[in-house]
Amino acid sequence: MSTHYYFSWFNHFFPEKLVHCLHEDIQDRKSLVMISADPSGYTDKQINFDDISEWTWLNQANIIFDEYHFIDYRVQKETAQRLIHNASVIFLCGGDPVLQNEFLGDYELSNVIKNSNAVIMGASAGALNMAAKWLSLNNTDEVETSTIYDGIGFDHFAYESHSQRNYATFVQGYLFPLSEEIDVYATEQESAIRVKDGKIEMMGPLYLISHSKIQKLVETF
């Protein structure tokens, strides 16, 4: 069973206690594969990893790999699947969760990721797509609608992560209908969930929403 990390967003770098856990869990550092959440947004032939916040977090934590790969529509489908199959760590990046979800479907990557022995991590949009389900709110001038998406489903819970949302917005109840179907972990910034051997540990401001009841969770690492 691989280890999974669900990150909200970190404004600067990983907190020290999270770095300690990552160093413990990431023993194999041959290949890091990052999966874009803006897969059509790049026009340059080559990605500059210095521009990727998630790469910077790992680099600042001194988690260095022999190879780095960034997957979006510029990479051939078969190449993307092979890189993921051989990865030591798979990182689903932040950005647009819907576009990333569609990309995972187009390239048939979900099962390849799910069957990997790599350490899997996701930030913001990437964490949403790691979970079993997540909710997308669509705001127009006249109406607010919501769509529930299926993620890869490493762990049987729904996830919500957004830098502009906090306890006050979660209490308003937009996640309550989903919470009647499945437990929802809702996070503020500077938060992380680690699932290792089926055990859930957490850091930062997180809330469990279950059957329309919300509770703040205690940090466990």
Side-chain angles (χ1 to χ4, degrees):
M1 182 181 289
S2 63
T3 301
H4 315 140
Y5 282 91
Y6 300 78
F7 303 136
S8 55
W9 197 257
F10 299 97
N11 288 321
H12 302 293
F13 43 75
F14 286 142
E16 192 172 322
K17 52 191 169 183
L18 178 56
V19 171
H20 176 78
C21 291
L22 290 167
H23 274 277
E24 177 185 305
D25 291 335
I26 303 173
Q27 298 295 318
D28 176 4
R29 300 188 186 178
K30 293 187 184 70
S31 172
L32 169 67
V33 174
M34 310 190 83
I35 301 174
S36 177
D38 185 16
S40 301
Y42 297 93
T43 54
D44 296 335
K45 288 186 177 178
Q46 197 164 1
I47 192 74
N48 182 359
F49 281 94
D50 288 327
D51 294 335
I52 303 173
S53 297
E54 298 90 333
W55 178 87
T56 303
W57 300 337
L58 289 169
N59 200 49
Q60 288 176 327
N62 197 32
I63 299 173
I64 309 298
F65 296 85
D66 296 336
E67 297 178 9
Y68 296 91
H69 303 281
F70 187 83
I71 292 176
D72 59 14
Y73 282 115
R74 293 172 298 178
V75 178
Q76 293 294 319
K77 176 178 174 180
E78 294 75 15
T79 303
Q81 293 179 351
R82 176 179 54 79
L83 289 171
I84 287 170
H85 179 74
N86 294 326
S88 309
V89 172
I90 300 167
F91 202 141
L92 287 90
C93 295
D96 187 320
V98 176
L99 293 179
Q100 188 178 61
N101 191 277
E102 291 172 351
F103 178 60
L104 293 171
D106 289 346
Y107 268 40
E108 299 177 19
L109 298 180
S110 293
N111 282 337
V112 184
I113 298 170
K114 202 166 186 178
N115 293 328
S116 170
N117 291 320
V119 173
I120 315 292
M121 52 186 71
S124 193
L128 296 179
N129 279 312
M130 283 174 59
K133 292 182 182 293
W134 56 273
L135 181 76
S136 174
L137 284 178
N138 308 301
N139 293 303
T140 66
D141 291 339
E142 298 172 3
V143 68
E144 179 179 84
T145 59
S146 63
T147 305
I148 295 173
Y149 286 85
D150 290 325
I152 297 170
F154 286 107
D155 304 290
H156 188 65
F157 56 73
Y159 184 84
E160 168 69 312
S161 171
H162 198 286
S163 61
Q164 302 305 315
R165 296 191 185 134
N166 54 27
Y167 179 77
T169 58
F170 300 142
V171 158
Q172 290 171 11
Y174 71 95
L175 292 166
F176 286 0
L178 179 58
S179 79
E180 295 292 336
E181 179 185 339
I182 189 172
D183 285 351
V184 182
Y185 286 95
T187 69
E188 296 183 29
Q189 281 189 289
E190 310 290 329
S191 300
I193 295 173
R194 176 205 207 189
V195 184
K196 185 173 183 177
D197 300 326
K199 179 185 177 186
I200 299 176
E201 298 175 288
M202 51 205 69
M203 181 206 81
L206 287 110
Y207 310 92
L208 173 62
I209 305 173
S210 182
H211 298 289
S212 299
K213 291 184 171 58
I214 182 168
Q215 67 179 94
K216 184 164 187 178
L217 298 172
V218 177
E219 288 191 317
T220 52
F221 77 82

